[in-house]
Amino acid sequence: MELENGKMWLDGKMLSNEEAKVPFLNPALHYGLAVFEGIRCYDSPKGPAVFRLKEHLQRFLDSIHIFGVMNMPYDLETLRTATHETVRVNNLRECYIRPLMYLARGSMGLNIDLMEPSVGIAAWPWGTYLGEEGLRKGVRLLVSSFTRLHPNVFMTKAKVSGNYVNSVLAKTIASRAGFDETVMLDPEGYVAECSGENIFMVRDNVIYTPPKASILEGITRASLLTIAGDLGYEVVEERISRDQLYIADEVFVCGTAAEVVPVREIDFRQIGIGGRGPVAEALQSAFFDTVHGKGKHSEEWLDIVDL
Ligand code: PPE
């Protein structure tokens, strides 16, 4: 895997995968005490362009703040420079970027004030997350029997590694049952998000998406809300039930890894025309133009890496 040949930034040094080993006795590994981000860099006429880098790094710092880690040693500008350096050193024009803060040293036990963070940033080429065909024809979803995290069990605004066990449990069952992704309901039974994407539906030309309270505040979600406004769509953030999804004209999901993906079926019910609908197609096309430097917001949202 190309990942293994790449170099990663680790606490200020560029290391090979071989050099960037972590010891078995570290609290992050034992308790899931880490925070991550997922960012994409796209090729553009001006060079490799990182999509909404500052917003992702701000969410990274916010996740660490929510988690309550008080000794994070790096600020946004240091992380931004390190991200650029990682893309440059690996000679990548298009890649997925993974910053990770992990509580690496200090005592075992459950008090994070006795632990010290390390921060790493890796980058690797990562193709379509839910498949090339899914982007064009739509994917199949299963509503999960697992519940999305209650905000007082763990805060959904923070991309804490341990939180993702919930997503992994849900996604694995869906994959084993032959589905592409899984929709998770919140503790009250309303649609929250997918294991790794936010979700939208369309009915009578109005776009609906669940409110922020019980979901990760997706950066792709926020970008699509802006783009939908530009394209003249009415957008409503409100609670959605699973049967509202079943009878929607269109459903689509979005995230950094997944990008913008139409949904053709949920729980064995065909959604709309059973393929990519016109709203998903319009948003997908505007999104891909934007990330490749050809959209209304490209200038504002793309952070170009000098080679
Ligand atoms: N909800 C969840 C639970 C989630 O993990 C993601 C990103 C999103 C929504 C969309 O957020 P944003 O990327 O800011 O638009 N999921 C990341 C993890 C993927 C992985 O498998 O790892 C991602 O897309 O990078």
Side-chain angles (χ1 to χ4, degrees), residues 36-40 51 56 59 96-98 124 126 129 148 156 159 164 166-167 171 181 184 192-199 215-223 254-259 287:
F36 70 97
E37 259 308 318
I39 310 170
R40 271 194 193 268
F51 185 62
H56 277 283
R59 187 174 65 188
Y96 184 82
I97 302 164
R98 168 57 55 83
W124 65 89
W126 206 6
Y129 187 68
R148 196 73 190 126
T156 57
K159 278 181 84 83
Y164 275 78
N166 177 250
S167 281
K171 171 81 181 214
E181 239 303 11
M184 304 196 69
E193 58 189 329
C194 294
S195 72
E197 300 86 23
N198 291 118
I199 189 163
I215 60 168
L216 181 75
E217 293 184 0
I219 291 167
T220 320
R221 173 188 182 277
S223 308
C254 74
T256 298
E259 301 164 311
F287 174 81

Side-chain angles (χ1 to χ4, degrees), residues 130-250:
L130 297 178
E132 210 41 73
E133 199 182 289
L135 281 177
R136 279 180 288 111
K137 296 190 174 163
V139 295
R140 297 173 62 242
L141 306 184
L142 177 73
V143 174
S144 184
S145 56
F146 288 103
T147 301
R148 196 73 190 126
L149 299 157
H150 185 286
N152 284 335
V153 173
F154 210 95
M155 293 84 82
T156 57
K157 307 291 164 286
K159 278 181 84 83
V160 173
S161 299
N163 274 359
Y164 275 78
V165 174
N166 177 250
S167 281
V168 167
L169 289 171
K171 171 81 181 214
T172 303
I173 285 195
S175 306
R176 287 179 183 164
F179 292 88
D180 303 296
E181 239 303 11
T182 185
V183 185
M184 304 196 69
L185 307 179
D186 69 20
E188 290 181 83
Y190 293 93
V191 173
E193 58 189 329
C194 294
S195 72
E197 300 86 23
N198 291 118
I199 189 163
F200 289 77
M201 64 168 223
V202 182
R203 207 166 174 199
D204 297 328
N205 239 20
V206 177
I207 301 176
Y208 298 87
T209 195
K212 289 182 195 161
S214 62
I215 60 168
L216 181 75
E217 293 184 0
I219 291 167
T220 320
R221 173 188 182 277
S223 308
L224 287 190
L225 290 177
T226 302
I227 291 173
D230 294 344
L231 297 178
Y233 290 107
E234 185 187 342
V235 185
V236 179
E237 293 178 62
E238 68 176 29
R239 277 178 152 184
I240 295 173
S241 63
R242 73 193 281 174
D243 48 350
Q244 282 179 297
L245 292 182
Y246 294 164
I247 57 171
D249 300 328
E250 291 184 42

Side-chain angles (χ1 to χ4, degrees), residues 12-40:
K13 296 196 186 94
M14 274 297 168
L15 301 177
S16 66
N17 193 40
E18 195 53 39
E19 292 164 320
K21 297 270 190 260
V22 294
F24 174 73
L25 279 178
N26 86 79
L29 185 60
H30 293 245
Y31 310 117
L33 307 182
V35 160
F36 70 97
E37 259 308 318
I39 310 170
R40 271 194 193 268

